[in-house]
Amino acid sequence: MYFEMDCPCKGKNLDKMLQPAILLELYDEDLHGFMLIQKLSRNPMFDGNMPDKAGVYRYLKKMEASGLLRSDWELDDEGGKPRRIYSITDNGKQCLVNWTMALKQYTRSVDKLVDKIDKKIGI
């Protein structure tokens, strides 16, 4: 059987899961973009793979505009490049709670779908 590499059936492109993953990483600590990307790569949703950096930065910008995150510039004491540090807002924390409830329901629905497919095609 032949599948296209970018076929959604491969489960590779779950970009909608980027938002709750970002919120989770920022829940306990403020991070700059590069450190956030490194932590995301260790998230089970990315299975050790580095997420698309440009996509992460797009999401950060969008999430900040939506009020889920805020950012401030951190200046290096040694005169290095300033870095944007991201932190979660109260709205972002509530959004993560909402994501948790939605994902739990989604998991139940997906489990039912998988069971139905298994029964139908015998995998």
Side-chain angles (χ1 to χ4, degrees):
M1 196 170 249
Y2 173 79
F3 293 106
E4 292 180 35
M5 289 303 290
D6 290 332
C7 177
C9 66
K10 294 282 192 179
K12 177 182 161 192
N13 297 321
L14 297 174
D15 63 333
K16 299 296 184 245
M17 297 297 108
L18 193 53
Q19 187 179 54
I22 289 171
L23 292 170
L24 177 62
E25 294 301 337
L26 293 174
Y27 195 86
D28 289 324
E29 69 178 314
D30 300 346
L31 297 167
H32 60 82
F34 182 72
M35 180 59 74
L36 176 62
I37 290 168
Q38 287 182 321
K39 285 185 171 262
L40 287 171
S41 71
R42 294 188 290 271
N43 183 297
M45 290 304 302
F46 296 97
D47 198 27
N49 297 310
M50 193 71 71
D52 174 55
K53 292 174 190 169
V56 170
Y57 283 107
R58 273 194 304 276
Y59 254 92
L60 289 170
K61 191 173 188 176
K62 186 163 98 173
M63 291 169 71
E64 188 173 10
S66 299
L68 303 176
L69 305 177
R70 68 177 160 270
S71 68
D72 292 301
W73 287 101
E74 177 183 78
L75 303 175
D76 189 342
D77 292 337
E78 299 174 16
K81 249 178 125 175
R83 300 183 298 188
R84 189 177 291 269
I85 303 294
Y86 295 92
S87 55
I88 191 171
T89 63
D90 288 339
N91 286 344
K93 290 178 180 179
Q94 183 58 51
C95 183
L96 185 58
V97 169
N98 294 345
W99 264 110
T100 302
M101 292 185 298
L103 289 171
K104 286 179 180 180
Q105 177 58 45
Y106 190 67
T107 298
R108 288 189 290 271
S109 298
V110 168
D111 286 343
K112 289 177 186 177
L113 177 62
V114 169
D115 288 344
K116 194 170 184 175
I117 292 170
D118 281 347
K119 288 176 186 169
K120 183 66 120 180
I121 62 176
I123 292 179

